[in-house]
Amino acid sequence: MKTGAKILIEGLQHEGVEVIFGYPGGAILPVYDELYNSRMKHILVRHEQAAAHAADGYARASGRVGVCLSTSGPGACNLVTGIATAYMDSIPVVAITGQVPTALLGNDAFQESDITGITAPITKYNYLVKDVADLGRVVREAFYISGTGRPGPVLIDLPKDIQNAGLADETPLPEHVALRGYQPTYRGHARQIDTALRMMAEAERPVIYAGGGIILSGASQELVELAERMGIPVTTTLMGLGCIPCDHPLNLGMLGMHGTCYANYAVTDCDLLIAVGVRFDDRVTGRIEAFAPGAQIVHIDIDPAEIGKNKPIDVPIVGDAKTVLQAMIQRMKPPGARGKWQDQIRVWKEKYPLQYREDGALRPQYIIRELSDLLKGEAVIVSEVGQNQMWTAQYFCFKKPRTWITSGGLGTMGYGFPAAMGAHFAQPEVPVFVIAGDGSFQMNIQELGTVAQYNIPVKVVILNNMYLGMVRQWQEIFYDRRYSYTELPSVEFVKIAAAYGIDGVRVETCDEVLPAMKLALDTDGPFVMDFRIEREENVYPMVPAGAAINEMMQGYMK
Amino acid sequence: MKAHTLSVLVENRAGVLSRVAGMFSRRGFNIESLAVGTCEVPDMSRMTIVAIGDDAEVEQIKKQLNKLVDVIKVTDITDVENVGRELALIKVNTEPGGSRAEVMQIADIFRAQIIDVAAKSLVLEVTGDSGKINALENLLRQYGITELVRTGKIAVVRGGKGLKSSK
């Protein structure tokens, strides 16, 4: 006889799960009792939202499925923001929730919530298991659905009586999962690929627009090889940073609302846009009619529903980015000369570099640049959301995929710190830095307890301007500097860290920046840096909402 | 904007209807009718969905339906030769000796069945395409319709071939 709880734990082990982020409670007790015997690592977070974010961070840094665990009702509901974050960025996470016993389902029982109903719009799929005989198969399917095709979160809701129910008949699990309603397309259509390649060879001003799909599919190497052999410049979305080394001559940096001028100009002027693993998000495209207005568009994506969703596409290619790019490299034809286009891009790069005022004041861009120079790309950088995120995206030099972790689609403040805990378990040998604002950090600051308990060496960089900075920036520009509820009082983060037994420093001048970072690196365990930055520093360039992406507002220019 | 008839094979499982309906409301798609029931394959159901939108919108609806794990196959039969039918039950006020005979005559013309007779009312059962049912409804309105139920359209493609159940 095997209980449901045991079937679940064995199922997780069978899927190769190394670490679970979770928080126990009444309706998940049988699973926790079984977990007590298991060799899998369990990290006790301080709030279930952090468990979901940590599982997501683990998934992004490792490329594997992350797992989080909670009880029913409030525990399950607290996972929701984390699940939605993973869903919007297509991150493979399996969330397991306890549920009231089946006899009480629908009864408004204590700590009951309809979590499969609540998460239907924010999961790739979810299960409410009502028969213990289904559980083994459900666990297999959940991991399969979560990690294949366009990845995404899957939730398994497990009533307490199913966790306790015994199953005598031990039918072995199927080796392969077969679902007649779920069959992702991996190989692109050969004729479509040839059409795209012909256009790429003939185009005079082509640009590749690469996104998170490249990272998810592990296609960075293929992307760079194709770009080099075809001589096509590459701009990346926020989610795609790291898929081409930032210092690569063909790299244009990020495009969109806070993208580089040269990326936005290149996309606006191009005659062929090759979009790979992207979804034409409004933060990227600005006014959609004015996005790449004169270009023919090739769109490669594993999700057919993304193709043509926001913008008509000339050559759609449904398939996995890596598989399609490999096929393209094999079948490509040499391109014509593109000297004029390369010259034009060089002129834009020289004329409109990313820049900020270097006057000795402690500015966030300087801090990110120092960190970038110190780490040389050999670190995992996790951001919160807001100005801290955009400055990091602009000024940190990412050299490899899966070294940049950020909540792009949902834009979840409070994501970064717990996601960094997850990232550490994925890449334990590599330093993990969180770039936070004082606002974001305080949304999941309780996780200082978790990093202290397990000595998780997450280094926290707080860009502390005592504002909800990005909102304040919009109020400054669009609301006549009426700072309605965006000012935060000063917080002594070093003292808070100390209360948890964590070391930290407060930094107020530029010459203290590097020593603080070196101290953080030399410290065995977590570390908090409270950088008191220029309070009203803004993120530039900036495309106002509703404008075309070449209509950028410039900040400071030399 | 055009009405599209989609024939959708789905897993016959709890929660599938809510996943499909939820996708429509969440993404702001317009649904005219949705009828669902078991079909020739034992563990599947077939939905007939009438959705309204321009070409791009209907394309998105089909793709988003296909993305649902419980959806096995989506076929747009709008431009294929098909027969579509709807069933309606209509309760009409009648006066014995007066309007009752007229209503019965109308029912006869529309080949509607009278399935219940009471002192002052009749219940008509009618099948047909939406146009026919609308026409009957309009004619009966003058007598006073106290209750009307429609199933929503169901449809099959003409000819010997069935809609295959693979994606």
Side-chain angles (χ1 to χ4, degrees):
Chain A
M1 284 283 271
K2 248 186 215 174
T3 63
K6 193 169 173 71
I7 293 169
L8 174 72
I9 296 300
E10 286 185 0
L12 296 178
Q13 266 162 356
H14 185 262
E15 298 297 333
V17 174
E18 303 171 317
V19 56
I20 298 172
F21 303 91
Y23 204 104
I28 195 73
L29 273 169
V31 169
Y32 266 85
D33 190 59
E34 197 58 46
L35 196 57
Y36 203 54
N37 302 326
S38 163
R39 57 187 151 76
M40 280 185 294
K41 211 177 286 170
H42 175 278
I43 302 299
L44 174 68
V45 294
R46 294 298 178 272
H47 184 297
E48 289 90 348
Q49 187 192 114
H53 289 328
D56 169 312
Y58 171 85
R60 293 190 206 223
S62 68
R64 310 180 56 205
V65 178
V67 179
C68 58
L69 180 63
S70 81
T71 190
S72 64
C77 287
N78 278 342
L79 293 177
V80 166
T81 304
I83 294 172
T85 303
Y87 184 72
M88 288 290 274
D89 290 340
S90 309
I91 303 304
V93 169
V94 168
I96 298 152
T97 51
Q99 181 56 282
V100 302
T102 46
L104 291 178
L105 276 173
N107 217 15
D108 304 323
F110 177 66
Q111 292 196 330
E112 179 184 3
S113 68
D114 171 17
I115 199 64
T116 47
I118 291 169
T119 59
I122 53 164
T123 50
K124 191 168 168 187
Y125 198 60
N126 62 25
Y127 295 89
L128 169 58
V129 182
K130 285 184 164 172
D131 182 348
V132 68
D134 293 336
L135 182 55
R137 174 185 56 81
V138 163
V139 173
R140 289 231 63 189
E141 285 182 9
F143 277 79
Y144 175 71
I145 292 174
S146 180
T148 57
R150 177 181 185 174
V154 174
L155 181 136
I156 302 172
D157 198 19
L158 204 52
K160 195 172 184 180
D161 58 321
I162 305 295
Q163 299 169 40
N164 283 324
L167 186 66
D169 166 35
E170 280 194 42
T171 42
L173 295 174
E175 255 319 290
H176 299 287
V177 180
L179 292 161
R180 55 192 176 187
Y182 174 72
Q183 282 151 17
T185 306
Y186 293 98
R187 291 165 60 93
H189 192 283
R191 213 163 27 192
Q192 295 288 85
I193 288 175
D194 284 341
T195 308
L197 284 171
R198 197 174 56 240
M199 289 159 73
M200 286 159 73
E202 286 167 5
E204 288 173 6
R205 303 183 307 282
V207 171
I208 293 173
Y209 152 37
I214 300 280
I215 312 274
L216 290 166
S217 132
S220 303
Q221 215 183 314
E222 287 79 5
L223 175 84
V224 174
E225 185 179 345
L226 185 72
E228 283 173 352
R229 289 177 62 180
M230 303 284 290
I232 304 178
V234 179
T235 178
T236 65
T237 66
L238 179 69
M239 301 310 299
L241 290 173
C243 70
I244 180 167
C246 73
D247 46 5
H248 194 287
L250 287 169
N251 182 36
L252 296 170
M254 183 170 77
L255 81 166
M257 183 173 271
H258 293 295
T260 63
C261 295
Y262 38 95
N264 285 348
Y265 286 145
V267 167
T268 305
D269 263 30
C270 72
D271 64 351
L272 178 67
L273 188 69
I274 304 110
V276 196
V278 296
R279 56 188 179 85
F280 294 79
D281 177 75
D282 55 281
R283 283 294 190 268
V284 162
T285 64
R287 188 154 53 82
I288 189 89
E289 302 78 32
F291 182 72
Q296 289 199 290
I297 305 179
V298 174
H299 190 182
I300 303 164
D301 204 282
I302 197 159
D303 180 359
E306 284 304 338
I307 296 180
K309 186 180 83 177
N310 296 339
K311 184 108 183 148
I313 300 301
D314 299 285
V315 185
I317 301 174
V318 178
D320 166 58
K322 190 184 183 83
T323 313
V324 172
L325 293 180
Q326 277 172 345
M328 285 184 144
I329 290 166
Q330 275 170 18
R331 303 158 77 103
M332 56 164 277
K333 298 178 187 71
R338 289 184 186 127
K340 266 172 75 181
W341 182 229
Q342 277 147 9
D343 290 345
Q344 174 65 71
I345 287 170
R346 202 171 305 121
V347 168
W348 283 328
K349 277 189 169 180
E350 279 163 17
K351 203 166 167 192
Y352 308 106
L354 284 171
Q355 52 191 320
Y356 62 95
R357 196 182 298 276
E358 291 171 77
D359 56 357
L362 186 57
R363 293 186 196 275
Q365 300 93 331
Y366 171 80
I367 295 167
I368 303 296
R369 203 160 251 179
E370 286 293 292
L371 187 66
S372 184
D373 290 346
L374 176 68
L375 297 172
K376 299 186 174 63
E378 296 297 322
V380 176
I381 304 298
V382 188
S383 84
E384 291 287 352
V385 166
Q387 288 182 318
N388 62 80
Q389 179 184 34
M390 291 299 118
W391 285 319
T392 310
Q394 290 177 334
Y395 288 93
F396 196 93
C397 183
F398 295 100
K399 301 196 170 160
K400 287 187 291 194
R402 301 198 184 280
T403 58
W404 164 237
I405 292 174
T406 195
S407 165
L410 198 67
T412 308
M413 287 174 69
Y415 167 81
F417 186 34
M421 305 191 309
H424 163 72
F425 289 96
Q427 299 190 31
E429 310 301 324
V430 174
V432 178
F433 277 74
V434 186
I435 316 296
D438 49 320
S440 283
F441 187 55
Q442 290 185 79
M443 278 209 181
N444 271 319
I445 195 168
Q446 79 285 345
E447 296 309 313
L448 283 168
T450 310
V451 297
Q453 181 177 356
Y454 298 97
N455 199 35
I456 303 172
V458 167
K459 319 295 180 185
V460 186
V461 171
I462 306 168
L463 304 175
N464 186 348
N465 54 12
M466 295 185 278
Y467 277 120
L468 299 174
M470 186 59 94
V471 184
R472 186 210 56 76
Q473 176 173 342
W474 281 56
Q475 289 173 333
E476 176 188 330
I477 299 170
F478 304 115
Y479 293 89
D480 199 22
R481 299 180 61 97
R482 288 158 51 83
Y483 295 163
S484 181
Y485 303 102
T486 40
E487 189 162 12
L488 297 172
S490 174
V491 174
E492 296 292 340
F493 288 109
V494 174
K495 286 186 185 165
I496 292 180
Y500 283 97
I502 295 169
D503 286 340
V505 288
R506 175 174 160 140
V507 176
E508 289 175 37
T509 61
C510 286
D511 46 350
E512 295 168 330
V513 169
L514 198 55
M517 290 170 178
K518 284 184 172 161
L519 182 58
L521 272 179
D522 290 342
T523 302
D524 176 32
F527 195 83
V528 170
M529 289 155 275
D530 180 5
F531 292 95
R532 299 292 172 136
I533 61 166
E534 278 296 298
R535 293 195 67 199
E536 300 203 6
E537 186 69 22
N538 286 339
V539 180
Y540 287 117
M542 177 182 189
V543 178
I549 58 167
N550 62 342
E551 296 164 3
M552 286 159 291
M553 298 166 65
Q554 279 287 2
Y556 168 80
M557 287 178 86
K558 277 189 189 115
Chain B
M1 299 286 269
K2 177 178 165 186
H4 281 250
T5 306
L6 307 177
S7 186
V8 184
L9 267 176
V10 299
E11 297 287 350
N12 185 4
R13 247 183 226 156
V16 177
L17 179 60
S18 97
R19 286 177 206 268
V20 169
M23 189 281 288
F24 271 85
S25 66
R26 170 162 82 249
R27 295 194 178 265
F29 297 138
N30 292 311
I31 201 164
E32 171 106 342
S33 73
L34 190 159
V36 57
T38 52
C39 66
E40 72 279 4
V41 193
D43 52 355
M44 294 184 192
S45 299
R46 177 170 274 121
M47 291 183 176
T48 306
I49 300 174
V50 180
I52 297 176
D54 58 29
D55 288 352
E57 232 172 338
V58 174
E59 189 60 30
Q60 257 303 299
I61 291 174
K62 288 188 266 183
K63 284 173 168 176
Q64 293 295 345
L65 278 170
N66 260 316
K67 245 173 101 163
L68 297 175
V69 173
D70 287 327
V71 169
I72 297 155
K73 190 178 171 70
V74 180
T75 316
D76 188 345
I77 59 172
T78 314
D79 298 325
V80 187
E81 278 287 301
N82 70 76
V83 270
R85 288 290 182 271
E86 213 184 323
L87 183 140
L89 301 178
I90 310 171
K91 189 181 286 182
V92 195
N93 291 330
T94 52
E95 292 297 330
S99 55
R100 176 180 285 179
E102 283 177 40
V103 170
M104 287 173 74
Q105 218 171 11
I106 292 169
D108 210 29
I109 295 165
F110 280 82
R111 284 188 237 168
Q113 306 288 323
I114 290 160
I115 55 171
D116 186 57
V117 186
K120 291 189 168 184
S121 72
L122 289 176
V123 178
L124 272 58
E125 173 201 310
V126 61
T127 59
D129 59 25
S130 306
K132 173 178 166 182
I133 292 171
N134 291 344
L136 178 60
E137 187 189 331
N138 286 335
L139 267 175
L140 294 176
R141 196 166 287 144
Q142 55 180 314
Y143 304 102
I145 295 174
T146 39
E147 212 178 320
L148 182 143
V149 207
R150 293 170 72 151
T151 56
K153 179 177 169 180
I154 56 171
V156 289
V157 172
R158 283 186 191 273
K161 272 169 81 180
L163 295 175
K164 289 219 185 71
S165 57
S166 62
K167 224 172 204 176

